[in-house]
């Protein structure tokens, strides 16, 4: 027999249907649950009872721990079902009760309202849990990392809470509480809808963080080809609004980005990505960045960065990338104060944190990601690693081209300081791409034939150069001219590499390339000029001088006579000697940590010249070449923890010069051998520190390892010792 129909409950008189529905759906939910109960989707009494909860106690579980509840702290789409009635406190979504949050981050201990329709109250337990997770020490194994002394104040991340009007689209279906994908992005439809809507309202100022770039061959660009600026087709348009932080909300009051799944956040927390050095150490690293790194690589708005630091709002990925590059240039005393035993250890920790945030797509601000990636190009990696300076440069180029900064923005409606910042970023990418590709003999990642970014000018540095804190910096008078001249010199280097080493070599003689270099040197401003015998050069003129001679060597090394009066061998040898002399002066002045890394490329190439000269039949030439090569090895020894290729370059030449009868003593006489024995390591093998850090040097590569085990060549020994005392060779110009 069919069961009788259940009699409907009578509705009280004067009560609306929506009020009745609200009462029926209202139910109590615990503020937080332990991880085990949360995974099993069962009720947990850990808040009322304490840890362990009843279920964990009955199951004899010792790992009962509260998790951070995400309920009510991430953005919710508006309910698209108009037939449902929304209440003032909650709304029904499927079978789940969802507490909508406001478009602004919640304030501490208070309710944040939105249109008087939704209310979100952050519980005290939630806030305490968030604060404790940010201030907890970084739990790492003793062999791998030394934890910081104390983490008094964690720096903020960029708030990624996006209002529903921004059109966040999920790859999954429906407005479920959590998408199956951990990465939710603005859809192409939303982006183009925003673009067409903005076109109706006329020209708008373009935000440097959100640019829609439409190349000429893009069909939509062809449709809109009637939009022109100054006779040129318009390429840059305002993009969808970039998520911004609430200026009144500090780090501890902000929620995690809504596009991240809880398990991804947990993985990032386990890697310590939401932890930073204590305030005094962080202030010191920021100071090093502004004083030493910014004049060499000005890829941030100086004043804006300072304000972010003062308000504790530097995005997490940029903060760790900044700490990574600062740890490369800072005095060791700062890193020791932070609890690190070596520079390599500090650099690896900050690199790992920044890369983890990059891999998980935590940051959605493309400009912030681009700035961070450029800093990560100073991670050397190894031939067995996919991620090294070359791959980071390629990633940076991809992001930059997405923003369209490889094209001219001269007529773009943008703040002048923002336009100048994007120009500086692009040209520094060109400099890094050119120098690093030439160093390892790989193709350039930037195709300049498809780029028309305007050249750098002094005006591009005025906004940052006039910052009050920068006025007393000794690098200020020359840093703008240095960037301009480096950008020009990088174009000359590209021409040299393409003419000499490209499969489709253009018919360019060494005389023409030499003339290009001479023309570049002749137009240098007064504060960057140098003479070949000068001793009082600043770091910028020293760098340009070494790179100029590096380019001369590339132009003439192993070059057959092409019918001109230029003697290529003499030019290469003289340029290498000048590099050795200037590089040693840098060491004697203790300026290694102040120099751009492109300088060390010249030292590497000079060593190649000296090695070839050591095969000369003349004893004097062989002895002088050994002394000069030893000078270069000494410079690389000083930079062994800051410039990643230094260790394998030193070991390469040590093995080329090592004597078979007394190899152990030869190791001890070389800078590399002394460093390895001083650290208790066996030359040619990985130490415990390198193994724990995941360090993969070039020496371990199966195809390249034979280069580091070269047979001994008696012709290189000459009549003198392997590494004679530098004081016996005053002509080198180091100890005069």
């Amino acid at each position: 027999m069919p069961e009788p129909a259940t009699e409907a409950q009578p509705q009280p008189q004067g009560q609306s249907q929506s009020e009745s529905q609200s009462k029926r759906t209202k139910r109590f939910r615990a503020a937080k649950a332990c991880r085990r109960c949360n995974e099993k989707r069962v009720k947990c009494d850990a808040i009322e009872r304490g840890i362990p909860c009843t279920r964990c106690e009955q199951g004899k579980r010792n790992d009962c721990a509260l998790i951070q509840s995400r309920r009510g702290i991430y953005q919710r789409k508006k309910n698209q079902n108009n037939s449902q009635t929304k209440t003032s406190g909650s709304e029904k979504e499927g079978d789940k009760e969802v507490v909508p949050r406001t478009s602004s981050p919640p304030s501490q201990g208070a309710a944040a309202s939105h249109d008087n329709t939704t209310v979100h109250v952050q519980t005290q337990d939630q806030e305490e849990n968030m604060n404790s997770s940010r201030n907890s020490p970084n739990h790492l194994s003793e062999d791998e990392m030394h934890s910081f002394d104390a983490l008094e104040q964690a720096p903020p991340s960029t708030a990624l809470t996006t209002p529903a009007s921004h059109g966040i689209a999920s790859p999954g279906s429906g407005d479920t509480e959590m998408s199956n994908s951990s990465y939710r992005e603005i859809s192409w439809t939303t982006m183009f809808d925003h673009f067409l809507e903005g076109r109706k309202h006329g020209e708008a100022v373009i935000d440097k963080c959100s640019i829609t770039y439409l190349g000429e061959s893009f069909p939509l660009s062809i449709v809109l080809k009637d939009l022109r600026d100054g006779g040129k087709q318009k390429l840059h348009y305002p993009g969808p609004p970039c998520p911004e932080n609430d200026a009144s909300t500090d780090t501890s009051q902000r929620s995690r980005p809504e596009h991240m799944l809880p398990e991804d956040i947990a993985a990032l927390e386990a890697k310590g990505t939401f932890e930073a050095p204590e305030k005094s150490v962080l202030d010191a690293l920021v100071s090093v960045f502004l004083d030493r790194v910014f004049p060499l690589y000005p890829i941030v708005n100086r004043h804006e960065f300072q304000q972010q630091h003062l308000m504790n709002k530097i995005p997490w990925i940029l903060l760790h990338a900044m700490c990574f590059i600062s740890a490369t240039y800072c005095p060791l005393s700062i890193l020791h104060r932070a609890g690190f035993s070596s520079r390599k250890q500090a650099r690896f920790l900050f690199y790992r944190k920044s890369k983890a945030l990059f891999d998980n797509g935590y940051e959605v601000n493309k400009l912030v990601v681009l700035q961070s990636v450029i800093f990560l190009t100073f991670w050397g990696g190894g031939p067995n690693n996919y991620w090294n300076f070359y791959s980071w440069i390629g990633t940076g180029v991809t992001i930059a081209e997405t923003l369209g900064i490889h094209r001219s923005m001269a007529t773009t409606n943008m703040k002048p300081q923002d336009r100048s910042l994007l120009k500086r970023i692009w040209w520094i990418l060109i400099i890094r791409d050119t120098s690093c590709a030439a160093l390892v003999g790989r193709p350039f990642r930037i195709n300049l034939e498809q780029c028309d970014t305007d050249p750098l000018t002094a005006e591009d540095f005025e906004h940052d150069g006039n910052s009050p804190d920068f006025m007393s910096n000794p690098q200020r008078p020359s840093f703008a001219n240095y960037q301009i001249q480096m950008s020009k010199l990088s174009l000359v280097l590209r021409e040299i590499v393409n003419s000499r080493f490209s499969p489709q070599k253009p018919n360019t003689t060494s005389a023409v390339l030499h003339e290009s270099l001479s023309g570049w040197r002749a137009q240098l401003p007064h504060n960057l000029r140098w003479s070949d015998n000068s001793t009082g050069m600043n770091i910028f003129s020293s760098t340009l001088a070494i790179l100029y001679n590096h380019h001369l060597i590339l132009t003439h090394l192993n070059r057959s006579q092409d019918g001109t009066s230029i003697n290529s061998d003499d030019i290469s040898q003289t340029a290498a000697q000048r590099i050795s002399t200037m590089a040693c002066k840098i060491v004697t002045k203790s300026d290694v940590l102040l120099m751009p890394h492109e300088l060390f490329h010249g030292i590497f190439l000079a060593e190649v010249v000296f090695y070839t000269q050591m095969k000369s039949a003349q004893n004097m030439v062989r002895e002088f070449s050994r002394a000069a090569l030893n000078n270069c090895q000494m410079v690389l020894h000083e930079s062994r923890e800051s410039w990643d290729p230094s260790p394998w370059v030193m070991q390469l030449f040590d093995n080329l010069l090592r004597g078979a009868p007394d190899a152990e003593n030869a190791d001890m006489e070389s800078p590399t051998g002394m460093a390895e024995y001083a650290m208790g390591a066996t030359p040619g093998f990985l130490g415990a520190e390198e193994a724990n850090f995941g360090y993969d040097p070039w020496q371990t590569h199966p195809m390249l390892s034979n280069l580091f085990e070269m047979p001994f060549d008696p012709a290189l020994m000459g009549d003198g010792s392997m590494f004679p005392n530098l004081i016996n060779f005053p002509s080198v110009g180091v100890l005069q």
Side-chain angles (χ1 to χ4, degrees), residues 234-295:
K234 189 174 179 181
L235 304 174
H236 304 89
Y237 301 87
C242 188
E244 296 289 346
N245 288 337
D246 186 356
S248 62
T249 308
D250 64 21
T251 304
S252 61
Q253 298 168 337
R254 255 183 245 133
S255 60
R256 295 284 185 252
E258 64 172 1
H259 67 274
M260 300 293 295
L261 286 173
E263 52 266 33
D264 295 327
I265 293 293
L268 291 174
E269 288 177 342
K271 294 182 178 181
T273 56
F274 306 123
E275 302 167 3
E278 61 180 358
K279 189 177 185 304
S280 62
V281 175
L282 180 60
D283 290 342
L285 291 174
V286 171
S287 179
V288 169
F289 171 74
L290 295 174
D291 292 341
R292 295 188 177 187
V293 181
F294 177 82

Side-chain angles (χ1 to χ4, degrees), residues 648-666:
W648 64 261
V649 173
M650 285 192 297
Q651 186 175 345
L652 171 64
F653 284 99
D654 279 352
N655 281 276
L656 290 172
L657 302 175
R658 182 179 294 128
D662 193 6
E664 183 174 342
N665 293 335

Side-chain angles (χ1 to χ4, degrees), residues 7-280:
E7 183 178 356
Q9 295 292 331
Q11 181 175 319
Q13 217 173 21
Q15 187 179 48
S16 65
Q17 183 178 359
S18 62
E19 292 176 348
S20 175
Q21 182 181 4
S22 176
K23 286 186 177 182
R24 288 198 303 269
T25 58
K26 185 175 181 180
R27 52 195 173 96
F28 173 78
R29 301 181 71 175
K32 281 187 295 187
C34 72
R35 185 172 301 279
R36 183 168 179 266
C37 292
N38 177 263
E39 292 174 352
K40 291 182 174 294
R41 296 293 188 268
V42 295
K43 187 175 180 180
C44 181
D45 60 354
I47 292 295
E48 296 82 9
R49 183 181 185 276
I51 295 177
C53 68
T54 302
R55 296 181 185 274
C56 289
E57 186 178 42
Q58 292 175 352
K60 296 182 180 181
R61 305 275 298 195
N62 297 324
D63 56 347
C64 182
L66 291 175
I67 64 168
Q68 179 181 337
S69 174
R70 300 189 74 254
R71 183 157 46 87
I73 64 172
Y74 53 91
Q75 184 64 36
R76 186 74 65 206
K77 282 188 178 181
K78 293 182 179 180
N79 195 343
Q80 298 179 357
N81 189 355
N82 296 327
S83 62
Q84 276 191 312
T85 304
K86 296 180 181 179
T87 66
S88 61
S90 62
E91 61 187 15
K92 194 78 173 177
E93 185 173 281
D95 293 332
K96 299 181 180 180
E97 178 185 348
V98 178
V99 181
R101 66 168 306 236
T102 64
S103 59
S104 61
S107 60
Q108 184 174 6
S113 61
H114 175 60
D115 297 336
N116 295 326
T117 60
T118 60
V119 178
H120 168 71
V121 179
Q122 186 179 33
T123 67
Q124 184 176 359
D125 289 333
Q126 283 177 314
E127 180 154 334
E128 290 175 356
N129 186 63
M130 291 174 64
N131 290 337
S132 64
S133 66
R134 287 178 179 270
N135 296 320
S136 61
N138 189 19
H139 299 288
L140 298 173
S141 63
E142 184 177 355
D143 291 335
E144 183 176 5
M145 293 295 170
H146 289 284
S147 62
F148 297 124
D149 295 333
L151 302 175
E152 295 178 353
Q153 184 177 4
S157 65
T158 299
L160 302 175
T161 53
T162 308
S165 60
H166 289 182
I168 299 297
S170 170
S173 59
D175 294 339
T176 58
E177 183 175 355
M178 184 60 61
S179 168
N180 292 330
S181 172
S182 63
Y183 186 80
R184 297 169 62 191
E185 59 182 9
I186 296 175
S187 66
W188 288 98
T189 302
T190 301
M191 186 184 74
F192 289 125
D193 285 347
H194 181 274
F195 161 71
L196 295 174
E197 185 67 22
R199 186 186 175 205
K200 297 177 183 177
H201 296 86
E203 187 72 11
V205 177
I206 297 179
D207 180 10
K208 65 179 182 293
C209 300
S210 183
I211 302 174
T212 298
Y213 169 72
L214 304 180
E216 291 91 340
S217 63
F218 190 43
L220 182 58
S221 181
I222 297 175
V223 171
L224 303 175
K225 62 182 179 181
D226 57 328
L227 294 179
R228 295 178 180 270
D229 269 343
K232 291 186 64 176
Q233 184 171 340
K234 189 174 179 181
L235 304 174
H236 304 89
Y237 301 87
C242 188
E244 296 289 346
N245 288 337
D246 186 356
S248 62
T249 308
D250 64 21
T251 304
S252 61
Q253 298 168 337
R254 255 183 245 133
S255 60
R256 295 284 185 252
E258 64 172 1
H259 67 274
M260 300 293 295
L261 286 173
E263 52 266 33
D264 295 327
I265 293 293
L268 291 174
E269 288 177 342
K271 294 182 178 181
T273 56
F274 306 123
E275 302 167 3
E278 61 180 358
K279 189 177 185 304
S280 62

Side-chain angles (χ1 to χ4, degrees), residues 361-559:
Y362 184 90
E363 179 62 59
V364 297
N365 187 321
K366 291 181 181 178
L367 182 59
V368 170
V369 176
L370 175 58
Q371 292 167 328
S372 305
V373 164
I374 292 177
F375 289 142
L376 297 183
T377 64
F378 292 85
W379 176 258
N384 292 330
N385 299 132
Y386 293 110
W387 287 106
N388 48 48
F389 61 88
Y390 192 68
S391 51
W392 282 119
I393 289 173
T395 302
V397 172
T398 300
I399 300 173
E401 291 175 345
T402 301
L403 291 170
I405 65 177
H406 64 297
R407 304 302 303 272
S408 174
M409 293 186 173
T411 58
T412 303
N413 188 14
M414 181 181 290
K415 295 179 181 179
Q417 61 266 31
D418 292 345
R419 187 186 301 113
S420 296
L421 173 63
L422 296 180
K423 281 176 61 178
R424 298 200 308 260
I425 289 175
W426 177 249
W427 278 105
I428 288 176
L429 260 179
I430 292 178
I431 294 171
R432 293 291 296 160
D433 177 42
T434 304
S435 60
C436 292
L439 175 68
V440 294
R442 294 183 182 180
F444 301 123
R445 289 300 181 98
I446 296 177
N447 183 4
L448 290 181
E449 293 182 356
Q450 298 184 357
C451 308
D452 62 353
T453 302
D454 302 296
L456 289 172
T457 63
E459 289 74 18
D460 293 319
F461 302 89
E462 285 183 352
H463 182 267
D464 295 278
N466 294 328
S467 181
D469 73 294
F470 196 42
M471 299 298 291
S472 60
N473 191 300
Q475 314 304 338
R476 179 184 175 275
S478 305
F479 95 106
N481 285 331
Y482 168 75
Q483 298 296 333
I484 295 171
Q485 298 305 320
M486 276 293 292
S487 64
K488 294 179 180 179
L489 191 57
S490 67
L491 299 181
V492 178
L493 177 57
R494 282 175 173 263
E495 183 181 2
I496 294 172
V497 172
N498 286 330
S499 65
R500 291 217 55 193
F501 310 109
S502 174
Q504 293 81 29
K505 300 176 182 178
N507 188 17
T508 306
T509 64
S510 58
V512 173
L513 298 175
H514 193 124
E515 184 63 27
S516 297
L517 285 169
S518 299
W520 170 85
R521 182 177 180 179
Q523 55 83 45
L524 283 173
H526 177 74
N527 58 356
L528 293 180
R529 292 181 181 176
W530 74 90
S531 66
D532 294 330
N533 298 319
S534 60
T535 58
M537 297 186 296
N538 57 48
I539 65 171
F540 293 134
S541 58
S542 298
T543 301
L544 293 177
I546 289 178
L547 291 179
Y548 170 80
N549 286 283
H550 166 272
H551 296 359
L552 282 178
I553 296 174
L554 271 187
T555 301
H556 294 283
L557 186 63
N558 295 332
R559 189 87 178 229

Side-chain angles (χ1 to χ4, degrees), residues 547-701:
L547 291 179
Y548 170 80
N549 286 283
H550 166 272
H551 296 359
L552 282 178
I553 296 174
L554 271 187
T555 301
H556 294 283
L557 186 63
N558 295 332
R559 189 87 178 229
S560 58
Q561 297 298 323
D562 48 13
T564 64
S565 59
I566 296 179
N567 190 324
S568 293
D569 290 340
D570 289 346
I571 293 176
S572 298
Q573 294 167 9
T574 302
Q577 293 166 10
R578 289 171 179 166
I579 289 176
S580 175
T581 300
M582 288 183 287
C584 288
K585 290 176 182 177
I586 292 172
V587 173
T588 57
K589 293 167 61 178
S590 301
D591 286 344
V592 172
L593 291 179
L594 302 177
M595 309 306 295
H597 279 197
E598 290 75 23
L599 172 143
F600 301 114
H601 302 184
I603 297 174
F604 186 10
L605 190 58
E607 288 192 316
V608 173
V609 175
F610 295 137
Y611 178 74
T612 58
Q613 284 183 293
M614 289 175 63
K615 297 182 179 181
S616 172
Q618 302 179 20
N619 285 343
M620 182 66 68
V621 174
R622 293 201 303 268
E623 294 293 334
F624 180 83
S625 300
R626 285 199 300 272
L629 194 149
N630 190 38
N631 292 348
C632 294
Q633 289 284 82
M634 183 174 61
V635 178
L636 294 180
H637 180 263
E638 291 296 315
S639 64
R640 65 192 181 280
E641 286 196 341
S642 55
W643 189 52
D644 288 339
S646 287
W648 64 261
V649 173
M650 285 192 297
Q651 186 175 345
L652 171 64
F653 284 99
D654 279 352
N655 281 276
L656 290 172
L657 302 175
R658 182 179 294 128
D662 193 6
E664 183 174 342
N665 293 335
D667 278 336
M668 295 299 294
E669 291 175 2
S670 69
T672 309
M674 289 187 293
E676 289 174 331
Y677 276 95
M679 297 171 59
T682 303
F685 293 91
L686 289 180
E689 188 178 54
E690 286 84 355
N692 287 331
F693 287 175
Y695 183 66
D696 182 25
W698 290 71
Q699 295 94 312
T700 62
H701 192 276

